[in-house]
Amino acid sequence: MACNSCSTGKNGQPKGCKNNGTCGTDSCNKLTVFDWLANMSLPNGEKPFNWVEVRFKNGRKNYYKNTENLTLSIGDVVATQAKAGHDIGMVTLTGELVRVQMKRKNVSAQDNDVLKIYRKASQKDIDIWQKARDREEPMKVKARQFAIDLKLQMKISDIEFQGDASKATFYYTAEERVDFRELIKVFAREFRTRIEMKQVGFRQEAARLGGIGSCGRELCCSTWLTDFRSVSTSAARYQQLSLNPQKLAGQCGKLKCCLNYELDTYLDALKDFPKTEIKLKTEKGTAVCQKTDIFKGHLWYAYEGEWMNWHKITTAQANQIIQANQENKKVASLEEYASDLVEDTKNEFENVVGQDSLTRFDNPKRRKKRKNNSKNDNQANKSTRQNRNKRNKNNRRKPQKSKNETK
């Protein structure tokens, strides 16, 4: 959900807050939560919840206790507690919704190791934080080259500095276990800072980096999806999708998470369908299922040996035939059931104006072959005329013999 500054201007062009991913209302950022309780006051005697949600680089979030009772609002840059030193982040949620988010993510407010908020970030803190952020991209290029030189089967996807620039966390992906002890020594000697290596999955890597999916929108994992459920190829089979790994895989290389979105609807619709492996036995022959239409409730069967002739029947008719076969009875043929399904061929659009098609001028005109044939015919006629004239001239030049000479 965008903020008010993202609305359209006078000339129809978008205004934009021009904050480049650090929107003050946190409405344009990753994994944002809309605070719909912001305009509501607490009941009398109720104290506000003293925990806040803080977002760091690439959607990483954590929950901190406001022990100093600071007046915080969404968009404030704060200095938070870390294992060593302090970190810099942006407040993304305050109030009662933080309690809901903590319960949803199983974060307990009664733990002894509670992280705290120190203060609002000063200009000095922000300058150190920005300088550390500027170092991340060139460091990532060098780190990848060091991993290649050591021949390690791993991919360094992202680097995140702590807010006080005292530690750098390297996020990497690997299919197998990697011994990176020598790599850490090289990093510490080259970058002169504390190093922490953190392995993430391929889905977590795509969520951190973000991108555009095949649907044309931003990736679900980087915008709103937080729990990564397992996706299997059976989800594609139930939805009758082609098992093409290039189309079913997302940017993470795994199966797309959106395959699970409509799976429950397909499973509910398939409850009334018979199994496609069951053959229908008729007096005319045995029929095998060729195709199903889940939402219309139709099945297409073909007799063995007559694979080109498909007969469409409903799920109720198919279940009726299967039940009869279980009782050792055979129906006459599928044509009796298929004749009941008469498709309605009435056009919804009636041509009132008298035009054939609204897009009839979009297709280019085809060249007529008759013109070429007429040209060839004209050339052939010319050649025959010329040959005929030559023969006439030759006949005129020859002298005619008289009758006496012939005798």
Side-chain angles (χ1 to χ4, degrees):
M1 183 174 293
C3 54
N4 294 329
S5 59
C6 293
S7 58
T8 307
K10 295 181 180 179
N11 298 327
Q13 297 179 355
K15 292 180 181 179
C17 56
K18 299 179 181 178
N19 285 319
N20 298 326
T22 57
C23 182
T25 60
D26 196 58
S27 298
C28 304
N29 299 318
K30 293 182 179 180
L31 302 175
T32 182
V33 178
F34 178 66
D35 191 3
W36 53 276
L37 295 175
N39 297 327
M40 299 178 66
S41 60
L42 293 173
N44 294 330
E46 290 290 335
K47 294 182 180 180
F49 193 58
N50 61 345
W51 285 71
V52 294
E53 184 185 71
V54 181
R55 180 181 63 84
F56 300 95
K57 182 183 177 183
N58 285 339
R60 181 175 68 88
K61 291 184 178 182
N62 210 337
Y63 298 93
Y64 297 88
K65 190 173 183 180
N66 186 6
T67 57
E68 302 296 330
N69 294 325
L70 300 173
T71 304
L72 299 175
S73 58
I74 295 175
D76 291 339
V77 181
V78 293
T80 62
Q81 182 183 357
K83 292 182 180 179
H86 68 273
D87 205 351
I88 303 296
M90 181 184 294
V91 177
T92 56
L93 197 62
T94 59
E96 290 298 319
L97 284 183
V98 181
R99 192 196 305 270
V100 178
Q101 290 293 100
M102 291 175 64
K103 183 178 180 181
R104 180 169 168 265
K105 296 183 179 180
N106 297 324
V107 178
S108 177
Q110 306 297 330
D111 292 340
N112 295 327
D113 299 333
V114 174
L115 299 177
K116 304 175 183 178
I117 292 180
Y118 289 147
R119 62 186 181 277
K120 287 188 177 181
S122 62
Q123 187 61 39
K124 183 179 179 181
D125 295 331
I126 296 175
D127 292 340
I128 296 173
W129 178 43
Q130 290 295 336
K131 288 180 182 178
R133 291 288 298 271
D134 294 337
R135 292 174 56 190
E136 291 174 356
E137 196 62 31
M139 278 181 62
K140 184 167 65 174
V141 177
K142 291 183 179 179
R144 288 177 175 175
Q145 187 60 43
F146 291 147
I148 292 172
D149 295 340
L150 294 174
K151 297 181 180 180
L152 297 177
Q153 299 297 323
M154 60 184 297
K155 176 188 174 184
I156 298 175
S157 59
D158 194 16
I159 299 175
E160 182 181 358
F161 261 102
Q162 196 170 284
D164 56 357
S166 62
K167 186 182 73 171
T169 304
F170 289 75
Y171 294 91
Y172 72 95
T173 57
E175 295 182 355
E176 299 178 355
R177 188 178 178 87
V178 180
D179 185 8
F180 47 77
R181 288 177 292 182
E182 188 66 27
L183 183 65
I184 292 177
K185 294 179 182 178
V186 176
F187 285 170
R189 184 172 60 252
E190 179 70 22
F191 303 130
R192 302 290 181 179
T193 186
R194 289 191 298 115
I195 304 297
E196 180 182 353
M197 303 294 292
K198 192 170 184 180
Q199 184 176 3
V200 295
F202 293 99
R203 295 183 188 273
Q204 286 79 8
E205 179 190 15
R208 287 185 60 85
L209 301 180
I212 305 297
S214 58
C215 58
R217 304 186 65 178
E218 291 186 59
L219 298 179
C220 298
C221 55
S222 64
T223 51
W224 63 272
L225 188 64
T226 55
D227 54 336
F228 299 100
R229 299 181 181 179
S230 60
V231 185
S232 60
T233 55
S234 60
R237 291 193 184 96
Y238 286 130
Q239 300 176 50
Q240 296 183 352
L241 299 175
S242 61
L243 299 179
N244 187 354
Q246 294 180 353
K247 294 183 178 180
L248 297 179
Q251 293 191 6
C252 57
K254 305 295 183 180
L255 292 175
K256 294 179 182 178
C257 297
C258 55
L259 291 175
N260 284 338
Y261 295 167
E262 299 178 355
L263 181 60
D264 295 336
T265 306
Y266 278 90
L267 291 176
D268 291 339
L270 285 171
K271 289 180 180 179
D272 298 331
F273 276 75
K275 294 182 179 180
T276 57
E277 295 84 5
I278 300 176
K279 298 180 180 181
L280 303 183
K281 297 179 181 179
T282 64
E283 295 179 358
K284 189 176 180 179
T286 304
V288 182
C289 183
Q290 302 294 321
K291 178 185 173 183
T292 59
D293 191 336
I294 296 176
F295 293 107
K296 289 185 178 180
H298 293 161
L299 296 95
W300 282 262
Y301 282 87
Y303 291 111
E304 292 181 350
E306 299 179 2
W307 303 111
M308 298 301 293
N309 297 326
W310 290 10
H311 304 282
K312 183 173 71 173
I313 60 176
T314 61
T315 55
Q317 293 172 347
N319 291 325
Q320 182 180 355
I321 297 173
I322 291 172
Q323 187 177 359
N325 294 153
Q326 291 176 354
E327 298 175 357
N328 295 326
K329 296 180 182 179
K330 292 183 179 181
V331 297
S333 63
L334 294 178
E335 286 81 357
E336 297 179 359
Y337 297 91
S339 61
D340 297 336
L341 294 176
V342 179
E343 296 183 357
D344 188 8
T345 58
K346 183 179 179 181
N347 296 325
E348 295 180 358
F349 170 74
E350 294 182 359
N351 192 1
V352 181
V353 186
Q355 297 176 348
D356 295 332
S357 174
L358 296 175
T359 60
R360 64 188 185 281
F361 295 114
D362 296 341
N363 298 325
K365 293 183 179 180
R366 296 180 180 178
R367 294 181 179 179
K368 295 182 180 180
K369 296 182 179 181
R370 293 180 180 178
K371 294 182 179 179
N372 297 330
N373 293 332
S374 62
K375 289 181 181 179
N376 295 329
D377 293 340
N378 293 330
Q379 292 178 358
N381 292 331
K382 286 182 181 180
S383 61
T384 52
R385 289 173 186 172
Q386 290 176 358
N387 294 329
R388 192 181 298 168
N389 293 330
K390 288 180 180 179
R391 290 174 185 173
N392 294 331
K393 288 180 181 179
N394 293 329
N395 292 330
R396 290 175 185 173
R397 290 175 182 175
K398 290 181 180 179
Q400 295 181 356
K401 296 182 179 180
S402 60
K403 294 180 180 179
N404 298 323
E405 292 177 353
T406 56
K407 290 179 180 180

